[in-house]
Each structure stands twice: as structure tokens, then as C-alpha cells.
Amino acid sequence: MNGDLLVFGPVTLNHEKYVEPPKTDSELVPFHHFLIENEKGEVVGHINFRIGNTSHVQNCAGHLGYAINEAFRGKHYSLYACLAIKPFIQDFYSSILITAEVDNAPSINIIEKLGAEYLDQVVVPKTDPGYVHGARQKVRYKWAVV
């Protein structure tokens, strides 16, 4: 982490940890895990930035993953978190992939508000780590961060 404060609008990202994947799974990649805090300092969710381009990242997980706690949904905190993490991403990539479940309209809405370009819809292979957790189809977007 470069020490810069990652803030956009009402959110601040608190870098909680850097996680190395288990050596037994070559599809998983290292990631940075951030807590998303609102202007009151409440933890409203988290955002993960994955570094790597395995098939799992390309077709299932994407480079960014976020979740907002149910009590805080509807305030666009995930959008603000993506915009807050953008300068950090720029240290690694000029563009990244973001994926969503095909029926996750709120997440797709956020991705489109970022200005990400729709690429396609893919079937998650049975061999993908996400398949075990119920992922079957994903929509993929490319987000230019420069």
C-alpha cells in the first residue's frame, strides 16, 4: 500500500490486509482487502482488489469485488468505493475487469455508472473456484482506470 488515503465522496477505504492465495490453487490470486467506511466511520462493507489474470479472474471474479452490508445499501457506497480505489488500481493496471452475476441489477447498475464497457456474458466453468459457491453465469465489463 502506498500510504495514500483512499477517499471519494462519503467513503474512506481502510486497507485491512493483503492476502496471498493458497499454494494449492493456481487460479486464485493475491488481493488487497479494504473496509469501506462512511462519513460517520461506520463500516458499511468491503472491497477487494485482485492482482492477476488467471482464468478465474478473467471469467468469474474480476479484479474488483465488493459487498455492502444490507443496512447500508441504496446509498451508492460501492460506486464511491470503486472511485476511491481507482488511484490505487492505476499503480497496477490501465484497465481491469469487473464481473457481476447476470441477475444482480444493483451491481450492474454500479458498474455501468463507472462507465465500464460491457464485454460479454460468460458461463462459469465447473472447474472454476466460484462454481462451488453458486456462480453459473457472469457479465463482464472492462473499466479503463487511466
Side-chain angles (χ1 to χ4, degrees), residues 8-138:
F8 195 94
V11 305
T12 299
L13 302 184
N14 179 5
H15 188 264
E16 188 175 56
K17 60 188 169 183
Y18 174 77
V19 178
E20 286 284 347
K23 302 250 187 268
T24 57
D25 194 331
S26 63
E27 279 298 306
L28 300 178
V29 298
F31 65 93
H32 290 270
H33 178 80
F34 296 83
L35 297 178
I36 304 169
E37 298 176 358
N38 66 12
E39 61 279 356
K40 296 178 184 176
E42 300 168 308
V43 174
V44 301
H46 73 270
I47 188 167
N48 293 329
F49 171 52
R50 300 176 189 93
I51 302 168
N53 288 304
T54 63
S55 177
H56 173 64
V57 171
Q58 295 287 316
N59 295 306
C60 188
H63 291 100
L64 277 185
Y66 46 81
I68 301 299
N69 301 334
E70 195 167 339
F72 297 100
R73 291 182 184 162
K75 296 177 174 65
H76 300 295
Y77 286 136
S78 54
L79 173 66
Y80 297 125
C82 289
L83 294 169
I85 202 171
K86 184 178 176 179
F88 184 69
I89 295 169
Q90 291 170 336
D91 289 343
F92 300 87
Y93 299 108
S94 59
S95 65
I96 61 168
L97 289 173
I98 306 176
T99 66
E101 297 286 337
V102 295
D103 61 351
N104 189 342
S107 187
I108 292 169
N109 184 40
I110 294 300
I111 295 167
E112 290 176 349
K113 282 182 186 233
L114 288 170
E117 173 190 355
Y118 175 81
L119 296 176
D120 55 15
Q121 182 173 322
V122 296
V123 174
V124 176
K126 290 182 180 179
T127 55
D128 188 275
Y131 191 90
V132 175
H133 300 290
R136 296 298 182 265
Q137 292 189 11
K138 295 281 188 161

